[in-house]
Amino acid sequence: MAATPLERLVTRLSFAASQAGRVAWYAGHGAAMRRAVRRIDAQHDANHPGTRPQIRKPRGAVPSTRRMLADIAALLKRDLENVEAGLYPLPADNDGTLPARLATSRAFFADVPEVARRRRDRAHREARHEAGAAKRPRYYQQNFHFQSGGWMTPDSARLYDMQVEVLFNGSADAMRRQVLVPMAGELTGRDQRTICYADIACGTGSFLAQVRRAFPRLPCLAIDLSQAYLGETRRRIGRTSIVKPVLAKAEALPLADGGLDLATCIFLFHELPPKIRRLVAAEIGRVVRPGGLFIFVESLQTGDNPDYDGLLELFPQLFHEPYYASYLRTDVTRLFENAGFILEGTTHAVFSKIMRFRRV
Ligand SMILES: C[S@@+](CC[C@H](N)C(=O)[O-])C[C@H]1O[C@@H](n2cnc3c(N)ncnc32)[C@H](O)[C@@H]1O
């Protein structure tokens, strides 16, 4: 049944209030964090002049804050259109209660000096000493983003979404939601309960929480190599048998050949060394059945949006991203064609792109 004008107005007002509030909250944290880092760096420079690694000026264009906020506004407009078209429900608050949000905010700022220290000292191997790290591949035992604990600790899992939203000025969840559009296309007219679906490298489950709301009867495998992040997924989603956490490497998935109808993978590939990237692509090709859909989400690559090229050069200098430069050079279409897929289409969402691959 079509929405009445009053219902549409309520939807729009509630969407505008919640999303504008999120962007202001996270962009405000970003501005305060940069001020804090400048103070920390200035103090260090006064005591140890010339010892801090310098950031190379990017050759490509760097969008202004105003431009990024305009692009985020355009994304949110598209997001609302998707809601109004019935592709998915109004976004729920994925950030917790106000006290929980304030506690995360305090923890975020308390961690800023540690992140600044690691960036300054290029200290990215501390995660090796965290409990359980020795059981993980060596490439994984790093402080990605210079974050405390790497992917290993519950504290890191608790802070991760805040750090990502601050990085993307509050647009990360909206970017991920664009994956729900092709998922809706794939699931329409089918009994969700019969579909085998996995989110590979699900992190803390922020995307799966949105999947749960949009497709409540869809069984989900939540796959990740971090016990701590899977713990956060469980906490976020709650105890339900419809979401099954699976601790596994994406390059060795504990799934049968052709066992999945549908798979998503969001922001994993730029974290992988080139050789592992090829193994993971082949593994996804192995587990998605012929005719199945794989949705890949990653950072834009050089030339995708030339106005953002300089930002892509800056990112791996500011955050520990050892494999990002090689990701920028990767031919993603070829990577997945070699794994048995054909590209059906690509859409951009501010800092990221969403590519739909069909298994041949
Ligand atoms: C940048 S986060 C992305 C998380 C999530 N998909 C999101 O949208 O925020 C990368 C995630 O990949 C996981 N990861 C990294 N290498 C992996 C591997 N080889 N196999 C499985 N998960 C891996 C990490 O534990 C982490 O949760």
Side-chain angles (χ1 to χ4, degrees):
M1 203 170 56
T4 65
L6 180 63
E7 284 167 341
R8 263 208 310 277
L9 180 67
V10 170
T11 300
R12 287 180 182 188
L13 289 177
S14 130
F15 181 89
S18 71
Q19 296 305 310
R22 280 189 107 237
V23 170
W25 175 252
Y26 290 114
H29 275 71
M33 176 195 71
R34 284 187 292 278
R35 268 199 306 278
V37 170
R38 275 198 296 275
R39 260 198 319 273
I40 295 167
D41 284 348
Q43 212 166 35
H44 172 87
D45 291 349
N47 295 331
H48 310 279
T51 57
R52 195 161 53 84
Q54 292 306 299
I55 303 297
R56 279 186 315 281
K57 201 169 153 7
R59 280 167 303 178
V62 178
S64 64
T65 304
R66 199 189 167 108
R67 165 68 195 274
M68 285 190 274
L69 291 177
D71 287 348
I72 290 171
L75 170 67
L76 291 173
K77 180 169 174 289
R78 198 188 335 153
D79 199 23
L80 177 61
E81 285 163 3
N82 293 338
V83 171
E84 292 187 329
L87 295 173
Y88 48 83
L90 257 185
D93 183 358
N94 224 352
D95 309 314
T97 59
L98 183 61
R101 220 180 288 189
L102 292 173
T104 311
S105 168
R106 277 195 299 275
F108 171 82
F109 283 117
D111 195 43
V112 164
E114 279 297 280
V115 176
R117 173 188 61 74
R118 282 190 206 96
R119 179 181 299 122
R120 194 175 63 219
D121 298 344
R122 292 292 180 244
H124 52 77
R125 281 287 181 188
E126 295 171 8
R128 259 193 305 192
H129 306 296
E130 301 294 350
K135 291 191 204 140
R136 302 286 174 260
R138 203 172 150 74
Y139 70 80
Y140 187 88
Q141 302 172 15
Q142 302 192 49
N143 296 78
F144 289 91
H145 313 154
F146 293 121
Q147 67 193 38
S148 299
W151 307 125
M152 313 292 170
T153 66
D155 283 348
S156 152
R158 241 169 271 130
L159 275 188
Y160 170 80
D161 286 289
M162 173 106 203
Q163 290 165 331
V164 173
E165 286 293 7
V166 169
L167 177 69
F168 292 133
N169 288 317
S171 67
D173 266 354
M175 291 195 287
R176 294 188 188 101
R177 269 197 298 281
Q178 303 319 300
V179 178
L180 299 176
V181 177
M183 282 182 77
E186 198 67 4
L187 295 173
T188 301
R190 295 169 73 179
D191 182 350
Q192 291 170 21
R193 292 168 302 182
T194 65
I195 306 289
C196 292
Y197 162 64
D199 187 29
I200 298 166
C202 66
T204 56
S206 45
F207 176 61
L208 282 176
Q210 308 204 62
V211 169
R212 288 280 302 126
R213 296 191 69 246
F215 313 111
R217 306 178 91 186
L218 178 70
C220 311
L221 295 176
I223 303 177
D224 202 279
L225 191 46
S226 168
Q227 190 76 66
Y229 279 49
L230 285 178
E232 185 65 14
T233 298
R234 178 49 85 214
R235 191 197 61 75
R236 187 192 297 273
I237 307 263
R239 294 230 158 259
T240 161
S241 58
I242 209 163
V243 176
K244 189 171 166 223
V246 179
L247 180 70
K249 283 199 279 203
E251 57 272 43
L253 295 168
L255 301 173
D257 294 1
L260 294 177
D261 303 295
L262 179 63
T264 51
C265 185
I266 305 178
F267 301 143
L268 169 67
F269 274 62
H270 73 274
E271 309 288 20
L272 300 175
K275 188 173 145 209
I276 305 296
R277 212 176 275 143
R278 287 191 292 276
L279 291 179
V280 174
E283 187 66 346
I284 295 173
R286 181 183 71 76
V287 299
V288 174
R289 69 162 169 79
L293 182 68
F294 168 56
I295 308 168
F296 170 90
V297 181
E298 255 305 345
S299 152
L300 292 175
Q301 293 177 288
T302 312
D304 280 339
N305 180 350
D307 294 349
Y308 279 63
D309 279 355
L311 206 57
L312 309 184
E313 292 173 55
L314 279 175
F315 179 56
Q317 297 192 64
L318 297 172
F319 299 91
H320 179 57
E321 287 290 1
Y323 311 117
Y324 189 77
S326 74
Y327 161 72
L328 289 183
R329 293 190 300 270
T330 299
D331 182 340
V332 175
T333 305
R334 168 96 57 89
L335 183 71
F336 286 104
E337 279 174 357
N338 289 342
F341 291 95
I342 49 166
L343 178 65
E344 284 195 338
T346 302
T347 49
H348 289 181
V350 198
F351 308 98
S352 63
K353 59 177 169 185
I354 296 128
M355 302 174 80
R356 304 184 306 281
F357 289 97
R358 183 73 56 186
R359 183 72 172 88
V360 186

